[in-house]
Structure formats: structure tokens, C-alpha cells
């Protein structure tokens, strides 16, 4: 965090390095994309409703109460002895992933791991249809990372520095990128 003369260094906005992903990182992206695809899938909903006429599952007790109400000349609107089920297809939701990467001084030793995580998540989301990914870096202030819909082709490592994390600024920046 501190320079040689005791001054606080600024968060560097330049890349420390960029490299092609390893085979393990590609495999991790494929595995994550499969897991995200499963999490995104929604099953059919089953709606049950009651009716006075078949088809459907017959409820004898409800039918007897209906007949008793008819004998007493009472209203029978509430007595529906058949239960039917209707299956409703639900549209799949679109997946939007936002990643905030801390590049403050306390995280400088972890920048290679943060770069790998950013690549793996970006590549996994890229492999899913109708999904999008955006990333910002934040330290003393926020820095642009990956625009929504852009593919991260390399593992990028940023320099860390600065005295604190401006989380709110980073979050607002990311929110504006994913919406």
C-alpha cells in the first residue's frame, strides 16, 4: 500500500499481464457452464384446480356434500368434486452475471487468482445461450473490466494498490453495466 517514501500508491489501471488460459482453466469453465445451465433450467409448473364436471380425480366426500346441498336447495357453487391438473411450460430466464474484482492493496497477492476466476466465469457464461457477463475492478475507485456481452479471451491480471476498497462505487458501476 505504501511506497518507499511512505506515500500511498494509487491503484494501477494497467494490466500486470495477460496470458492464454491453461487446459485446467478451460475445463473449469466448461464444468461451470454446465452447472449454470442446470441452475437456469426451470421445470414445468403444475396447477391444480377444482371443477364440477369430469375429467379429473373424483373426490367422493365433496360429491356427497354437493348432493346434500342440492337436497336442501342450498347453493352448490362451492362444491366441485373433480380435481384437474394443468401443466404450464415456463420460459427459461436469461442469465446475467456481474463480477466485481477487488484490486486494492490488500488483494495484490491474489490478483492472479482473481484473473483466473474472471476468465473462468466469463468463458462459462459465454458458452450459455442468451447469457451475458460484465466485470468491473474496484479499489480506491472503479475501473472498467468487461462490457456486457463481451468475451474475455485471456486471463488478465491487474496490479493491486491503494488504501481502501470503494465497494459502493464499484457496485454502482457494475449495476450500470449489467442492466
Amino acid at each position: 500500500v505504501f511506497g518507499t517514501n511512505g506515500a500511498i500508491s494509487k491503484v494501477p489501471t494497467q494490466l500486470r499481464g495477460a496470458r492464454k488460459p491453461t487446459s485446467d482453466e478451460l475445463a473449469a469453465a466448461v464444468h461451470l457452464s454446465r452447472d449454470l445451465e442446470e441452475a437456469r433450467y426451470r421445470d414445468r409448473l403444475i396447477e391444480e384446480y377444482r371443477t364440477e364436471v369430469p375429467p379429473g380425480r373424483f373426490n367422493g366426500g365433496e360429491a356427497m356434500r354437493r348432493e346434500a346441498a342440492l337436497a336442501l336447495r342450498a347453493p352448490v357453487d362451492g362444491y366441485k368434486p373433480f380435481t384437474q391438473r394443468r401443466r404450464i411450460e415456463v420460459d427459461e430466464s436469461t442469465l446475467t452475471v456481474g463480477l466485481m474484482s477487488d484490486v486494492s492493496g490488500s488483494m495484490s497477492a491474489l490478483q492472479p487468482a482473481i484473473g483466473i476466476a474472471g476468465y473462468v466465469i466469463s468463458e462459462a457464461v459465454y458458452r450459455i445461450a442468451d447469457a451475458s457477463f460484465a466485470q468491473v475492478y474496484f479499489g480506491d475507485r472503479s475501473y472498467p473490466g468487461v462490457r456486457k456481452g463481451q468475451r474475455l479471451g485471456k486471463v488478465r491480471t491487474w496490479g493491486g494498490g491503494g488504501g481502501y476498497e470503494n465497494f459502493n462505487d464499484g457496485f454502482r458501476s457494475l449495476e450500470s453495466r449489467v442492466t
Side-chain angles (χ1 to χ4, degrees):
V1 173
F2 294 98
T4 54
N5 61 359
I8 296 176
S9 63
K10 298 190 189 255
V11 176
T13 58
Q14 73 276 5
L15 280 171
R16 205 189 301 167
R19 62 171 175 78
K20 288 190 173 196
T22 65
S23 60
D24 288 340
E25 293 161 356
L26 284 170
V30 170
H31 184 73
L32 179 60
S33 70
R34 288 182 187 148
D35 289 345
L36 289 173
E37 187 70 43
E38 284 181 19
R40 182 177 98 142
Y41 176 73
R42 294 206 179 151
D43 205 3
R44 292 180 296 186
L45 293 178
I46 299 175
E47 178 184 57
E48 280 192 3
Y49 60 97
R50 302 182 71 92
T51 181
E52 296 175 2
V53 295
R57 186 177 183 112
F58 180 70
N59 182 336
E62 192 75 7
M64 287 177 42
R65 284 188 285 278
R66 177 182 162 85
E67 291 301 317
L70 279 172
L72 295 172
R73 299 184 198 278
V76 293
D77 297 348
Y79 301 104
K80 298 179 179 177
F82 293 94
T83 304
Q84 295 181 355
R85 290 184 176 178
R86 178 174 38 198
R87 286 169 172 55
I88 303 169
E89 293 288 332
V90 178
D91 293 335
E92 288 184 5
S93 59
T94 58
L95 178 68
T96 303
V97 177
L99 179 64
M100 293 175 56
S101 299
D102 185 353
V103 293
S104 65
S106 63
M107 299 298 286
S108 60
L110 298 173
Q111 290 309 309
I114 291 172
I116 291 169
Y119 170 79
V120 168
I121 295 169
S122 169
E123 183 64 22
V125 171
Y126 179 78
R127 293 171 178 266
I128 299 172
D130 298 327
S132 61
F133 171 80
Q135 180 182 20
V136 296
Y137 299 95
F138 71 98
D140 290 347
R141 63 185 187 96
S142 64
Y143 303 97
V146 178
R147 288 193 173 108
K148 184 177 178 180
Q150 183 182 4
R151 183 179 188 183
L152 190 59
K154 293 185 177 183
V155 176
R156 300 190 303 188
T157 304
W158 292 81
Y164 64 95
E165 303 88 15
N166 191 345
F167 180 86
N168 291 335
D169 190 31
F171 183 78
R172 282 191 300 274
S173 177
L174 180 64
E175 187 178 33
S176 69
R177 287 181 173 272
V178 296
T179 54

